[in-house]
Every structure is written in structure tokens, then in C-alpha cells.
Amino acid sequence: MRSIWNGAISFGLVSIPIKLVNATESHAISFRQIHTEDNGRIRYRKVCELEEREVGQSEIGKAYEDADGTIIPITDEDLSHLPIPTARTIEIVAFVPADRIDPLQMGSAYYLAAGGAPAAKPYALLREAFRRSDKVAIAKFALRGRERLGMLRVVGEAIVMHGLLWPDEVRTPEGVAPDTDVTIRDKELDLADALMDTLGEVDLDDLHDEYREALEEVIAAKASGEAPPEAPAPAAGGQVLDLMAALENSVRAARESRGAPAAGGEAEVRPLPRGRTAPKETGGKKSTSTTKRTAAAKKPAPARKSTSKATPGTKKTTAAKSTAAKSTTAKNSAAKSTARTGATGNPAKSTAATKKTTTATTAKATPAKKTPSRKRSA
């Protein structure tokens, strides 16, 4: 990798020659400006306002414009004589815990490569000191015409420097947070925690720039004369009216996307209200439909002319019940007759009572058999 700056790390009285190398690269697709009528390139030319002619890069220098418009030229030699010790040195000023660094301050990252064989041992010494202390170094360095703040740490076997903004370059978040009083319920926090747990962690190596990939497909289609792929239909969205329902739906969708079963005892998902809903069925309607179904289910078969057409099982059961009933009646009548005979000594009266009891029993049984037939006929 090509170095963009050469200098040294100043670690107390130890000086470590290093080379500064960009640690990141951009994969963004860049476009050219063209004339839409003929696809001609649009270029920016550097023209001297006084001579009204285009000038080359070798003729271009630096200058500071004062408030009154005065131009003060500044040469590279002027910059090389700046009265600061960090002109070609990364000066470590302190070691602090990593959590002391606000991520808002972090900027570009650079690898610090050892500058030759003599720098190998002090480079490794500083690297191992980082690892043992579990701290990061705060340093000052000069790059591209200004003094900067940096943070040094270890990544693998290399030392990395992150450019930091000066504390006064980070703006305070005044007026950013909502200024209205909001009440957060414990149930809402529980659902938010459940959503965070369901989403879980992710391997950053699995993430990629889907926008760039889609843009490459469009460019390839246009280059081959084909129609570019159509964008998928946007997901139907709407205003969130119920935060609890939105959280519950999010938890359920996250679990389904990860193939996890729904957790037991989860709060019921309430659908978002969308205007007036239709009234629920009243108990009367439900009762009427149930009555109709019950009546249809219990509708008796047409009356049969002959009892002999009944099923064998039913016939046997009926006969058995009739026999048992007659036997019981006969026994009771006999007992009564015996009692009366013992009391009066007249067997004729006993026989007549028995006949009457039998006749009464038969008369009572006959209407019971005819009652279902009358209902069926009706």
C-alpha cells in the first residue's frame, strides 16, 4: 500500500520511524457530468481571473484571503517552518481508557507501518505496551496543513491511528431531543427489550452495500442494451397509531424471519384501529342460528307404519324393557293380592285386582308409545 505521509512516533524519548497508510477505501460508484444532448463530458477548468487563461497544476499555489479581500500567499517552505513539534511527528501525549473517547470525534483511520528494519523493535514494544495496558494513546500530528488529534490502538499485529476531531469541533445536541414530556410504560420497555433480544447480534462481515450492487446491475443492463430491473413495490406503510401493537408486531415478525417459534405467554397483538368497525353479532342471532341447527339436527324421521321395521337392536331392547316392566308389575300385583287375600280371605277379589292393575299398566304404556308418533306427524 502506498504511504501518504512519512514521519515518526514520539513515545517519550523513543522515536519510531513510521509510514502513514490509508486504512479504509471507498467502493462508491462515481458519476461523470455530461451534456445530455450529445453525452459530451462536462469539465471544470482552472482559469486565472487576471489573465483569463487556463493554468496547470504546477502553477497553482496556496494563499489566505483576509477579511478585506487581501490575498496572502503561503508556500510549502512557509509551512515546513511552522513552530510546532508535530510537523513530521506523531506525538503521544497520554494513555487513556478506550471508553473515554467519544465516537462522535472519530474520523479517518490510518495504518502506521514501521519505517524499515531499525523501527521493528520499538514498534513491537509500543504495540505490546498497548496490549498490556488495555488503553489507547492520544496523540497530536500535522497533516495537510493543519495540526490534528489522533487516537492510537492495536488491531491484530498493527498499530492504527484514528483521526479525531478537536472537542470544540463537536456540536452539542441542543434542540435535537423532543422537548415534550413523554411517559414510557414498563410494558413498552419490555417489548422493546424483547425486540432487541430477538434481532440479536450480526456478523458485520455479512453486511454489504445493496445499493451499490443494485446500481451495478442497472449499469450492466444499460451497457448491454437491456431494460434496467424494476424496483420492488414499496411495503405498505401507515401512521403508527398504537405503539404497543407496533412493537408486538415487530417482535413477531423478527422471530418469524429468524425461524424462531413465538414465545409462550406473549401479550396479545392488538390490530391498529382503522375507523369504525362493524358491530359484533348479538347473542340473539347466534342463539337463533344455533336453534335452527339444533332443530335441523333433531328433526325426526317420518312415522313408520309398522313397528317391525325398527332396527333389531332397538326391537330387542324394547321387548326386554316391556318384559321386565310386565314382570315387575305382575310381582307387585301378586304381592298386593296376597296381602288382600290374607286380610279378607277372598281370592276372587285378588284376581280382579290383578286384572285391573294389568289393564291400567297397559293403558298407561299405550299412550307413551303413541306420543312420539304424534310428534313426528305434527
Side-chain angles (χ1 to χ4, degrees):
M1 293 183 285
R2 186 177 63 88
S3 63
I4 61 173
W5 186 87
N6 295 331
I9 299 175
S10 175
F11 179 34
L13 298 178
V14 178
S15 180
I16 310 171
I18 55 95
K19 297 179 180 180
L20 202 65
V21 179
N22 281 321
T24 61
E25 59 185 0
S26 175
H27 293 163
I29 297 176
S30 59
F31 295 100
R32 301 290 187 184
Q33 290 185 332
I34 61 169
H35 187 200
T36 55
E37 293 185 2
D38 54 13
N39 292 344
R41 282 280 306 276
I42 302 298
R43 298 180 182 271
Y44 292 94
R45 302 181 184 276
K46 297 179 179 180
V47 177
C48 176
E49 293 181 351
L50 298 179
E51 299 182 5
E52 295 184 352
R53 69 176 181 87
E54 184 179 356
V55 296
Q57 186 63 35
S58 60
E59 301 178 80
I60 299 175
K62 301 181 183 69
Y64 175 79
E65 184 176 0
D66 205 351
D68 58 359
T70 303
I71 299 297
I72 304 172
I74 303 294
T75 64
D76 292 338
E77 184 178 359
D78 296 332
L79 296 176
S80 64
H81 291 86
L82 288 176
I84 57 174
T86 57
R88 285 290 172 183
T89 304
I90 299 175
E91 182 183 6
I92 295 178
V93 296
F95 288 88
V96 299
D99 58 7
R100 286 275 303 278
I101 305 301
D102 188 346
L104 285 174
Q105 291 183 254
M106 299 182 67
S108 301
Y110 307 93
Y111 287 128
L112 302 183
K121 186 170 183 177
Y123 185 97
L125 173 64
L126 179 60
R127 181 188 62 203
E128 298 306 317
F130 276 125
R131 287 176 174 168
R132 175 177 291 188
S133 66
D134 197 22
K135 293 182 178 181
V136 298
I138 303 299
K140 290 183 178 181
F141 66 101
L143 180 65
R144 299 188 179 100
R146 54 171 294 196
E147 187 176 47
R148 303 170 184 264
L149 195 63
M151 179 191 74
L152 277 65
R153 66 187 183 98
V154 175
V155 175
E157 299 298 319
I159 299 176
V160 178
M161 181 174 67
H162 296 270
L164 299 179
L165 297 175
W166 296 98
D168 58 358
E169 292 179 321
V170 178
R171 301 171 63 182
T172 58
E174 294 180 359
V176 177
D179 55 356
T180 57
D181 294 334
V182 179
T183 301
I184 304 296
R185 295 180 293 172
D186 291 340
K187 182 61 178 177
E188 294 170 338
L189 283 175
D190 293 341
L191 285 173
D193 292 340
L195 180 58
M196 295 170 64
D197 294 338
T198 304
L199 294 176
E201 299 181 357
V202 65
D203 187 355
L204 295 180
D205 293 335
D206 295 336
L207 302 179
H208 56 279
D209 188 350
E210 296 181 3
Y211 178 84
R212 178 172 58 87
E213 293 177 355
L215 186 56
E216 290 174 349
E217 292 180 4
V218 171
I219 294 173
K222 297 278 286 185
S224 60
E226 301 176 357
E230 296 183 0
Q239 185 179 5
V240 178
L241 302 178
D242 191 337
L243 180 59
M244 289 289 293
L247 287 170
E248 290 167 354
N249 289 333
S250 300
V251 172
R252 182 178 59 185
R255 284 175 177 157
E256 291 177 353
S257 65
R258 293 176 177 267
E266 182 181 340
E268 182 182 359
V269 177
R270 298 190 300 275
L272 296 179
R274 297 182 179 276
R276 299 185 63 181
T277 57
K280 296 182 178 179
E281 292 186 356
T282 60
K285 291 184 179 179
K286 184 175 181 183
S287 176
T288 304
S289 61
T290 305
T291 305
K292 290 181 179 178
R293 288 197 298 269
T294 306
K298 293 184 177 180
K299 186 177 181 181
R304 296 174 180 173
K305 294 181 180 180
S306 176
T307 312
S308 60
K309 293 183 180 180
T311 57
T314 306
K315 186 175 183 180
K316 291 179 180 179
T317 305
T318 306
K321 288 182 178 180
S322 300
T323 304
K326 289 180 180 180
S327 176
T328 303
T329 305
K331 289 181 180 180
N332 293 336
S333 300
K336 290 180 180 179
S337 299
T338 304
R340 289 177 181 177
T341 301
T344 61
N346 192 351
K349 291 183 179 181
S350 175
T351 304
T354 303
K355 289 182 179 180
K356 289 181 180 180
T357 304
T358 305
T359 304
T361 304
T362 306
K364 289 181 179 179
T366 302
K369 291 181 181 179
K370 289 182 179 180
T371 300
S373 300
R374 287 201 299 272
K375 288 185 178 179
R376 288 195 292 269
S377 299

